[in-house]
């Protein structure tokens, strides 16, 4: 990530210990074959499932693209930052 982007985000580092388990197969077998968008979408799905101790979940394209904000305005996550059309193409390519 560019230094400018980190400045804009005001990223203060990772909070420890908060983890989402990512299967080794993603790194060992899949990563070399995925586009950047496909990898972002897959990581988002992994976070929303394995990160919450679920095997599956209903995740909308809008959530993958823009993230999740509660009715009260609390930002739970910021999604992938990809457009809806790019998310759709990434899903078609990755699955």
């Amino acid at each position: 990530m560019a230094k400018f982007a980190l400045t804009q985000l005001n990223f203060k580092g990772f909070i420890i210990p908060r983890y989402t388990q990512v299967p080794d197969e993603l790194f060992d077998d899949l990563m070399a074959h995925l586009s950047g968008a496909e990898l972002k979408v897959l990581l988002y799905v992994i976070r929303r499932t394995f990160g919450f101790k679920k095997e599956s979940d209903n995740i909308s394209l809008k959530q993958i693209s823009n993230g999740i904000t509660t009715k009260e305005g609390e930002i739970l996550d910021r999604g992938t930052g990809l457009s809806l059309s790019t998310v759709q193409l990434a899903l078609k390519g990755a699955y």
Side-chain angles (χ1 to χ4, degrees), residues 32-68:
H33 303 284
L34 298 173
S35 71
E38 290 166 349
L39 182 59
K40 280 180 129 179
V41 168
L42 183 54
L43 287 171
Y44 187 82
V45 170
I46 288 171
R47 170 67 179 127
R48 299 307 311 170
T49 54
F50 298 156
F52 289 90
K53 312 298 186 261
K54 300 175 183 178
E55 290 185 21
S56 65
D57 196 5
N58 293 318
I59 306 169
S60 72
L61 295 174
K62 187 175 176 185
Q63 287 174 330
I64 294 171
S65 178
N66 302 323
I68 301 171

Side-chain angles (χ1 to χ4, degrees), residues 23-37:
D24 291 339
E25 291 83 4
L26 172 60
F27 301 103
D28 299 342
D29 301 326
L30 295 178
M31 191 163 57
H33 303 284
L34 298 173
S35 71

Side-chain angles (χ1 to χ4, degrees), residues 40 44 63-67 78-84 86-87:
K40 280 180 129 179
Y44 187 82
Q63 287 174 330
I64 294 171
S65 178
N66 302 323
R78 299 184 191 284
T80 61
L82 301 170
S83 69
L84 289 174
T86 302
V87 169

